[in-house]
Amino acid sequence: EKKYIAFISYRHAELDSAVAKTLHTLIEQYRIPRGLQKDGNKRLGIVFRDQEELNASSNLTEEIQHALDNTEYLIVICSKSAIQSPWVMREIEYFLRHHDHAHVLTVLASGEPDEVFPAQLTQSPDGPDAPPIEPLAVDVRADTVAGSCKKLRREIPRLIAALLQCPYDALVMREQKRKTRRITSIAAIVMAVLLGFTSMVLMKNKEIAQ
């Protein structure tokens, strides 16, 4: 069993950092629908997000290598900034030496896919003559940093479905059922309160009449 559900690889720039931080929170706080829980686990697990900006000439630290070795998925924040980061490229290369492409997910924060998707993610391991790989990507491009984070909150179920290894439609359906149950429960509580209040008013009016 891996220690982390995901390792977020990103450039320490304003947009990328904001998206990575939001993604980190959304994954760790996500509550798995009951029908999709495994071994009674209600949460997806712990996310690794390195918060230190390291020198471009640095090698991967032992901590980073350990985290990459012990994570189920690598999530790459792809952007015009990240594609220029040797650090992000090294993390991708190291991860793919020990995992397959199916365990790499991407978040498109800025730029066009053919410009910002690292070659390591699109080149097939079967050789240069094989068709290029299209990694699963969530598009959060927006005019502002806040807009990208807001869009990520709407699109997060697509990444969650991949982490849970379940169809996206199945996850959405279960989310809708959970929301319906929640609304029904709230409505029942409100009705109970109203009935109690009505009963109290009727009893008070009866006392006044007497």
Side-chain angles (χ1 to χ4, degrees):
E1 185 178 353
K2 300 294 185 181
K3 182 177 180 180
Y4 304 104
I5 183 63
F7 179 112
I8 301 177
S9 180
Y10 67 105
R11 181 74 179 270
H12 289 250
E14 181 184 8
L15 171 63
D16 305 53
S17 294
V19 171
K21 183 178 180 180
T22 302
L23 178 62
H24 187 160
T25 301
L26 290 173
I27 293 175
E28 288 197 344
Q29 292 184 352
Y30 182 79
R31 189 180 180 88
I32 304 173
R34 190 177 304 168
L36 297 175
Q37 293 176 8
K38 298 177 182 178
D39 300 324
N41 294 324
K42 298 179 181 180
R43 303 289 181 182
L44 285 163
I46 302 172
V47 174
F48 184 94
R49 175 173 61 93
D50 183 33
Q51 300 183 53
E52 295 183 9
E53 179 71 272
L54 296 179
N55 193 303
S57 63
S58 299
N59 293 319
L60 291 179
T61 65
E62 185 176 338
E63 180 186 12
I64 295 295
Q65 290 180 354
H66 178 76
L68 287 167
D69 287 337
N70 289 278
T71 186
E72 288 283 349
Y73 288 88
L74 174 70
I75 303 178
V76 184
I77 309 298
C78 297
S79 68
K80 296 177 182 178
S81 176
I83 196 65
Q84 301 175 13
S85 170
W87 189 249
V88 172
M89 300 307 119
R90 287 182 191 133
E91 290 173 347
I92 295 172
E93 290 168 359
Y94 184 90
F95 182 83
L96 289 177
R97 284 202 296 268
H98 303 84
H99 305 75
D100 59 46
H101 280 75
H103 283 252
V104 180
L105 309 174
T106 62
V107 175
L108 181 59
S110 68
E112 296 300 322
D114 59 346
E115 298 173 342
V116 300
F117 279 170
Q120 298 95 318
L121 299 184
T122 58
Q123 290 177 349
S124 172
D126 296 329
D129 296 331
I133 296 173
E134 295 184 8
L136 187 149
V138 173
D139 188 350
V140 301
R141 290 174 294 179
D143 295 332
T144 64
V145 173
S148 290
C149 293
K150 182 178 180 180
K151 197 171 180 181
L152 176 59
R153 293 186 182 93
R154 292 199 308 266
E155 296 294 328
I156 192 63
R158 298 186 184 280
L159 276 181
I160 298 296
L163 296 177
L164 286 172
Q165 298 181 358
C166 75
Y168 171 69
D169 291 341
L171 179 63
V172 171
M173 187 178 298
R174 290 187 181 277
E175 283 287 357
Q176 290 175 342
K177 288 182 179 179
R178 180 163 64 181
K179 289 179 181 178
T180 301
R181 287 197 302 268
R182 187 181 304 165
I183 292 172
T184 302
S185 299
I186 293 174
I189 293 172
V190 171
M191 287 298 297
V193 171
L194 287 174
L195 286 172
F197 179 74
T198 302
S199 299
M200 184 180 67
V201 170
L202 290 174
M203 290 180 61
K204 193 66 176 179
N205 287 340
K206 184 177 180 180
E207 291 177 1
I208 293 173
Q210 291 176 344

